Amino acid sequence: MPLTAAMSDTENSVASRSPRTLVSVATYNELENLPLLVDEIFAVAPQVDILVIDDNSPDGTGKWADEKSHGDERVHVLHRAGKLGLGTATIAAMQYAIDHEYDYLLNLDADFSHHPRYIPAMLAGMDNADVMIGSRYCPGGGVKDWPLKRRLMSQCVNFYARTSLGLSPKDCSGAYRCFRVSTLAKLDFSRIRSRGYSFQEEILWHLKRVGARFDETPIIFADRERGQSKINSKEALAALWIIFRMGVKNWVGV
Ligand SMILES: Nc1nc2c(ncn2[C@@H]2O[C@H](COP(=O)(O)OP(=O)(O)O)[C@@H](O)[C@H]2O)c(=O)[nH]1
Ligand SMILES: [Mg+2]
């Protein structure tokens, strides 16, 4: 059977032209990182558009993004009134990609933990996947300079999410991902419950339920060198509880 016969109409149309790709970056006080990041993204992938979702950062990140968008038509900005969290920022990017008819949405953090050098491999993987994950836990991937305790905690959360939700990727908690937009369009975003850390696992679970194919490409995750982390341990515990509730639903089959 010819390869194209096994593809959906959407995949066929993407295969016959260059895919329109949107790279989304959620920002809260990332003025030290964003200008460097935008340059790096365009250095490796000049064909993409970039969407910055800024939550009224007090340091002026949103203002910088506006100015950049005036000089470069590949740059777009969504402003939100206040700090509404990474999960809802990611959903806003997904909705934007659907509304503006992009083929792929690639999401990465602003702080260089997700280095743009991996973008070409992520995009190449989309030929055979609906979701490509920049993965710390597949062969060749890893984390730089994490103490043993943090490594173990992250691996435990991943093991817990994979087993309780029946997810196949090795890295279910990272945010460096590329999505096929036509697959995202099958989701009902109003059913997404997570507002904090469990968002990453929850979205994979909903994607699995609409038949998404997952694949991973290795990345080395490095901690931020500039700016402040927005990590919060109360939110991390809330995430475990949400994954547990989803796991129960997963096994009961509702
Ligand atoms: N728009 C928006 N972006 C956020 C928010 N919280 C975090 N971010 C961004 O999400 C990404 C990951 O956040 P970070 O602080 O690095 O989290 P950590 O890597 O878990 O420490 C960064 O690009 C942040 O600027 C938020 O409430 N709104
Ligand atoms: Mg970070």
Side-chain angles (χ1 to χ4, degrees):
M1 181 167 56
L3 183 60
T4 46
M7 290 179 169
S8 69
D9 288 350
T10 325
E11 281 169 316
N12 261 327
S13 68
V14 175
S16 61
R17 59 180 166 77
S18 355
R20 288 188 70 226
T21 301
L22 181 67
V23 173
S24 63
V25 190
T27 55
Y28 192 75
N29 286 346
E30 299 287 4
L31 192 57
E32 289 176 275
N33 287 309
L34 190 63
L36 300 170
L37 185 80
V38 167
D39 284 350
E40 284 281 343
I41 293 170
F42 285 144
V44 296
Q47 77 282 14
V48 304
D49 285 354
I50 296 179
L51 175 68
V52 177
I53 306 105
D54 185 72
D55 283 0
N56 205 6
S57 295
D59 74 350
T61 306
K63 187 165 172 280
W64 180 86
D66 274 341
E67 282 161 14
K68 183 74 181 169
S69 72
H70 296 145
D72 189 329
E73 61 183 18
R74 295 170 297 178
V75 179
H76 307 274
V77 192
L78 267 183
H79 294 280
R80 305 195 302 173
K83 193 173 183 318
L84 293 169
L86 179 57
T88 60
T90 309
I91 292 177
M94 290 173 169
Q95 194 59 59
Y96 186 101
I98 294 167
D99 294 345
H100 292 79
E101 299 182 351
Y102 284 93
D103 298 307
Y104 302 152
L105 172 69
L106 191 152
N107 188 83
L108 79 177
D109 286 355
D111 58 1
F112 281 92
S113 288
H114 301 150
H115 202 283
R117 74 170 73 96
Y118 303 111
I119 290 176
M122 304 266 290
L123 294 178
M126 292 303 287
D127 287 348
N128 298 304
D130 302 310
V131 183
M132 272 303 288
I133 297 176
S135 175
R136 297 162 293 178
Y137 301 126
C138 70
V143 288
K144 215 174 118 199
D145 301 333
W146 273 14
L148 185 64
K149 185 176 158 200
R150 193 161 166 208
R151 271 169 210 262
L152 284 176
M153 267 170 58
S154 173
Q155 290 190 357
C156 284
V157 167
N158 262 288
F159 178 75
Y160 172 59
R162 290 175 60 216
T163 47
S164 59
L165 302 180
L167 294 169
S168 58
K170 298 269 184 295
D171 192 338
C172 295
S173 57
Y176 199 177
R177 293 172 178 172
C178 185
F179 304 94
R180 187 177 300 281
V181 174
S182 58
T183 308
L184 292 176
K186 295 178 187 166
L187 301 182
D188 176 359
F189 294 130
S190 71
R191 297 192 63 186
I192 293 174
R193 292 278 161 269
S194 305
R195 291 291 166 263
Y197 282 100
S198 54
F199 175 80
Q200 306 302 344
E201 289 86 351
E202 180 169 2
I203 197 91
L204 290 188
W205 183 59
H206 288 290
L207 285 161
K208 179 188 105 164
R209 286 158 71 107
V210 297
R213 299 162 303 163
F214 300 105
D215 202 356
E216 296 176 89
T217 187
I219 64 157
I220 302 295
F221 180 100
D223 271 334
R224 68 164 67 237
E225 288 176 5
R226 292 168 292 270
Q228 291 277 314
S229 168
K230 287 101 208 165
I231 207 158
N232 169 338
S233 53
K234 205 170 136 201
E235 265 188 38
L237 276 179
L240 294 180
W241 173 236
I242 293 181
I243 295 172
F244 174 77
R245 286 192 349 223
M246 278 189 289
V248 171
K249 278 194 192 171
N250 190 52
W251 293 113
V252 173
V254 290

